[in-house]
Amino acid sequence: MADFWQQFWRGRWSRRASYAGVLVAAFALVVVAGAAAVYMALRSTEADRLVTQSYMIRQVATRLLSTLQDAETGQRGYLLTNDESYLEPYNTARDTLDRVLDALTEETEGDPDQAARVIALRPLVDTRLAIAAHTIDLNRAGQTAAARDMVIAGQGKTAMDQIRIVIQQISDSERDTLMVRQDAAAAARAWLLGLVIASLAAAMALAAFLANAARSALAEARQRATELEAEVTLRRETQETLRQAQKIEAVGQLTGGIAHDFNNLLTIIIGNLDTLKRRLADSAQQTDIAAFATALAKPVDLALQGARNAAQLTHRLLAFSRRQALDPTRLDLNRLVAGMSDLLSRTLGETINVETILAAGLWPTLADANQVENALINLCVNARDAMPEGGRLTIETANTYLDEAYARQFGDVTPGQYVLLSIADTGGGIPPELLERAFEPFFTTKPAGQGSGLGLAMVHGFVKQSGGHVRIYSEVGHGTTVKLYLPRMLQDEAAASVPAPRPASAAPAPRGSARETILLVEDNEGVRDFARGALQELGYTVLEAAEAEAALRILKYEPSVDLLFTDVVLPGMSGRELANRALALRPELPVLFTTGYTRNAIIHHGRLDPGVQLLSKPFAQHDLARKVREMLDGSGAAK
């Protein structure tokens, strides 16, 4: 078997060597024939040019003789008639003879014999013209007899005969030269034709050889392509298997992290509710009402805190998946950073030196102010944790431009103008192998219990949902820099208040009255019962429906409805469709939406549609009271 493969490869290389030898020889023949053809083509062109030159010399010489004869004819006509009009051919000839002689001189400058004849011709022409001019002057002076005697004396005829002899010599010499040049041109064309035929034959032979070689190469290429196709198919199947495994691993990591955090939160909620139930069961034995209320308050507070943490976890997951509802406004990052500097200093502690570098003339950006604040706090807390012994935290803003080259390098950013928010620390840095996983959900380098692993994932999701870009630069032992690039805003809109005002949760919930009627539309019975009870406790009259059709029937027959409070996701008709039909019936009716998650009913490109008011689930009575009161008082109504 080894001998077979050895002979196979030896024969293959032998065939390739013979092909290469024939190919080189054929190619050399084509090159030689082509070069010779080009050379002979140039020779033929030169021969044709010389033939044309001979014709031109004879033509110019003939023209010179003809022009002199015209001058002689005009002179004699004038002497016989005394009519000045007969001198027109003479005057024309006198004006053109110099140019004709110059052209003849130029054409014959390459031939010494012909050039000498032209030089000898010029004084003869001047003599003939001088004799003609003298006779004309005599006739004009009235000496007609003297002029005729001068003509009869034959001086002009003698000069003309000499001119004819020289011109004939020029013509005869060019005729002989022309015959030689025509023969040379014919020979050059014959050689050129032969070389062209030889070139075509060589080219055809080369083409035949290449065609044969191409057929052989094509057969080998087809065989190799079949082998490569099988290999590519195998590799594609392997890669697909690997991708599926990676997806399963990522989903497993995500679901594991969610399950871990939610189980902890549910343990807090269920455990404290169980404690509350047990203490309520023992209420008959309690005599001290104040102590009993205190005993009940703690598990209630802990359960509520666990529920709020669970809600915060879902919000972080929505931010990571870029599905949270953003409320972007025109934002001045300089004002935001300056307004948060005191809060950050208190949060980070005295061992962290906070330095802000705010760019002059900073462009505005369009972003959700609350989310930017959350991202800034999150990154600053991460930086503090990276500097347990203290250090320097630098917050910087700048105008920047990300060009095409940068966009091609990272692939997830659009070239253009951006507003930069940079957070740099002097901590220990992040190793390269961990830096690649920084944005993964539930991945954290902090000790157990000190980080959820959703902070950077949430920041990344928010920035990308806002149309921006985020990069992390880190070097072990020298610190980490996180750069947030938010798109520059060009529209001229009113600036948002920064930092965004937050409702005072300690203030009592604003109440309503029985004269104010709210139509509650919610398909989940538990949520509907809670919302109805919360609104009734606030003093409102509540009408309820579990689906959109029932809500529309109520609107038709109950003109007292002051506010429509509807879930977005309903069976059959969506909450958005319900609102559109309700506004067709009651154009001035305020509409408040609520949802736990929605893709595109009221949110497009991560932003609430214009005029939409939203209360995100889960919500407490205080949140509901504040939002309803805003809507009824007109401050939150759709414009």
Side-chain angles (χ1 to χ4, degrees):
M1 189 68 177
D3 292 340
F4 167 76
W5 283 112
Q6 207 171 31
Q7 293 175 4
F8 170 78
W9 286 110
R10 188 182 298 117
R12 189 169 183 180
W13 282 110
S14 177
R15 288 195 301 274
R16 289 188 176 181
S18 62
Y19 285 162
V22 174
L23 181 62
V24 169
F27 185 74
L29 179 60
V30 171
V31 170
V32 171
V38 171
Y39 173 73
M40 291 310 300
L42 295 175
R43 287 284 306 273
S44 177
T45 302
E46 178 64 15
D48 290 339
R49 187 190 67 79
L50 294 174
V51 169
T52 302
Q53 185 181 25
S54 294
Y55 276 117
M56 182 63 70
I57 291 173
R58 296 188 70 187
Q59 183 180 354
V60 174
T62 301
R63 182 184 174 192
L64 176 63
L65 181 59
S66 175
T67 302
L68 283 171
Q69 288 173 344
D70 289 343
E72 189 176 59
T73 300
Q75 170 211 5
R76 289 177 179 176
Y78 172 68
L79 294 178
L80 291 174
T81 62
N82 285 327
D83 186 353
E84 290 281 344
S85 64
Y86 278 91
L87 289 177
E88 184 176 349
Y90 166 78
N91 293 331
T92 301
R94 187 184 59 189
D95 294 337
T96 60
L97 278 172
D98 282 341
R99 291 197 298 273
V100 175
L101 280 169
D102 290 341
L104 190 59
T105 300
E106 183 178 353
E107 293 292 336
T108 58
E109 63 181 359
D111 187 343
D113 294 336
Q114 292 288 62
R117 293 187 184 99
V118 174
I119 292 174
L121 189 60
R122 189 178 292 275
L124 295 174
V125 171
D126 292 340
T127 300
R128 182 63 189 90
L129 288 177
I131 292 173
H134 188 54
T135 58
I136 290 170
D137 291 341
L138 289 175
N139 192 62
R140 285 175 176 167
Q143 300 179 25
T144 303
R148 291 178 179 175
D149 291 341
M150 189 173 179
V151 172
I152 294 170
Q155 293 179 0
K157 180 178 180 304
T158 301
M160 197 64 183
D161 290 341
Q162 292 175 347
I163 291 173
R164 285 192 179 92
I165 292 171
V166 175
I167 289 177
Q168 187 63 42
Q169 290 173 349
I170 292 173
S171 180
D172 291 345
S173 177
E174 284 302 322
R175 180 189 61 209
D176 296 339
T177 302
L178 179 60
M179 293 177 64
V180 174
R181 289 177 174 176
Q182 286 176 333
D183 292 341
R189 283 192 291 272
W191 273 101
L192 178 60
L193 179 60
L195 288 171
V196 168
I197 293 173
S199 298
L200 289 175
M204 291 175 64
L206 179 60
F209 172 76
L210 291 176
N212 183 49
R215 281 194 296 271
S216 300
L218 183 60
E220 292 185 6
R222 286 175 177 170
Q223 181 180 358
R224 181 58 180 158
T226 303
E227 297 172 357
L228 287 175
E229 185 177 357
E231 184 179 347
V232 168
T233 301
L234 178 60
R235 183 171 300 180
R236 186 183 297 114
E237 292 174 354
T238 304
Q239 290 176 345
E240 184 64 26
T241 303
L242 178 61
R243 277 197 296 269
Q244 291 298 330
Q246 290 173 340
K247 288 180 181 178
I248 293 173
E249 182 182 357
V251 171
Q253 178 178 337
L254 180 62
T255 54
I258 295 174
H260 175 272
D261 284 5
F262 262 106
N263 282 334
N264 286 338
L265 295 171
L266 289 174
T267 299
I268 296 172
I269 296 171
I270 294 173
N272 282 281
L273 289 177
D274 181 65
T275 300
L276 179 62
K277 183 178 180 180
R278 285 186 285 104
R279 291 181 180 178
L280 284 173
D282 297 337
S283 60
Q285 303 175 6
Q286 296 291 333
T287 57
D288 189 347
I289 301 300
F292 180 62
T294 301
L296 294 181
K298 185 173 182 180
V300 169
D301 290 340
L302 291 175
L304 285 175
Q305 184 60 43
R308 293 190 189 99
N309 290 340
Q312 184 64 28
L313 178 60
T314 61
H315 290 160
R316 290 181 177 181
L317 290 171
L318 288 175
F320 157 69
S321 62
R322 309 179 197 178
R323 292 291 182 267
Q324 64 179 335
L326 298 180
D327 187 15
T329 54
R330 188 175 188 270
L331 187 61
D332 182 350
L333 287 184
N334 279 351
R335 293 180 60 197
L336 184 144
V337 173
M340 295 183 64
S341 58
D342 291 341
L343 170 64
L344 292 174
S345 296
R346 290 193 301 270
T347 301
L348 301 180
E350 296 179 355
T351 60
I352 306 297
N353 180 23
V354 180
E355 179 182 1
T356 58
I357 304 175
L358 306 181
L362 189 69
W363 297 327
T365 184
L366 185 65
D368 188 316
N370 288 329
Q371 293 299 328
V372 175
E373 288 181 5
N374 290 337
L376 181 57
I377 292 174
N378 203 321
L379 294 174
C380 289
V381 170
N382 283 350
R384 178 201 64 189
D385 295 341
M387 299 182 289
E389 304 299 327
R392 185 175 68 256
L393 176 69
T394 304
I395 304 174
E396 183 178 1
T397 61
N399 298 327
T400 188
Y401 178 80
L402 301 182
D403 57 17
E404 296 280 355
Y406 185 92
R408 284 194 301 270
Q409 180 182 1
F410 294 102
D412 62 344
V413 59
T414 303
Q417 294 176 327
Y418 290 83
V419 183
L420 171 65
L421 177 60
S422 172
I423 299 92
D425 64 59
T426 57
I430 305 174
E433 65 274 11
L434 299 182
L435 189 62
E436 298 177 356
R437 305 183 59 191
F439 294 126
E440 292 182 11
F442 296 104
F443 175 78
T444 180
T445 58
K446 297 178 181 179
Q450 294 188 18
S452 66
L454 279 175
L456 285 178
M458 180 182 66
V459 171
H460 182 269
F462 153 67
V463 173
K464 298 306 296 182
Q465 189 177 354
S466 301
H469 177 62
V470 56
R471 296 299 300 171
I472 300 180
Y473 304 88
S474 185
E475 185 176 352
V476 176
H478 293 82
T480 301
T481 299
V482 182
K483 293 187 175 183
L484 308 184
Y485 297 89
L486 296 173
R488 177 187 181 183
M489 182 181 181
L490 299 177
Q491 293 87 347
D492 186 15
E493 298 178 5
S497 175
V498 181
R502 302 177 184 273
S505 57
R511 300 183 58 82
S513 69
R515 294 189 304 274
E516 295 174 310
T517 301
I518 297 174
L519 175 56
L520 170 64
V521 187
E522 172 61 60
D523 60 317
N524 185 286
E525 184 177 358
V527 176
R528 189 170 67 250
D529 289 343
F530 162 71
R532 181 188 65 244
L535 290 170
Q536 287 175 343
E537 286 181 11
L538 292 170
Y540 297 103
T541 298
V542 181
L543 304 176
E544 58 181 293
E547 42 88 23
E549 292 293 345
L552 287 174
R553 289 194 294 271
I554 293 174
L555 280 174
K556 288 181 181 178
Y557 301 110
E558 291 290 343
S560 61
V561 174
D562 297 299
L563 172 71
L564 173 62
F565 179 38
T566 177
D567 190 10
V568 174
V569 181
L570 295 172
M573 187 188 308
S574 71
R576 185 57 187 266
E577 293 172 321
L578 167 63
N580 291 338
R581 293 182 60 175
L583 291 174
L585 295 174
R586 302 267 303 275
E588 300 301 323
L589 179 66
V591 178
L592 176 61
F593 292 99
T594 184
T595 185
Y597 166 75
T598 180
R599 247 177 129 74
N600 53 17
I602 60 173
I603 301 172
H604 292 83
H605 306 295
R607 300 173 183 176
L608 287 174
D609 291 341
V612 168
Q613 295 294 324
L614 175 67
L615 178 62
S616 296
K617 294 179 181 178
F619 54 83
Q621 185 191 49
H622 190 283
D623 302 320
L624 178 61
R626 177 180 56 82
K627 197 66 179 178
V628 168
R629 196 67 261 163
E630 287 179 1
M631 299 288 292
L632 291 175
D633 291 342
S635 61
K639 301 296 189 288

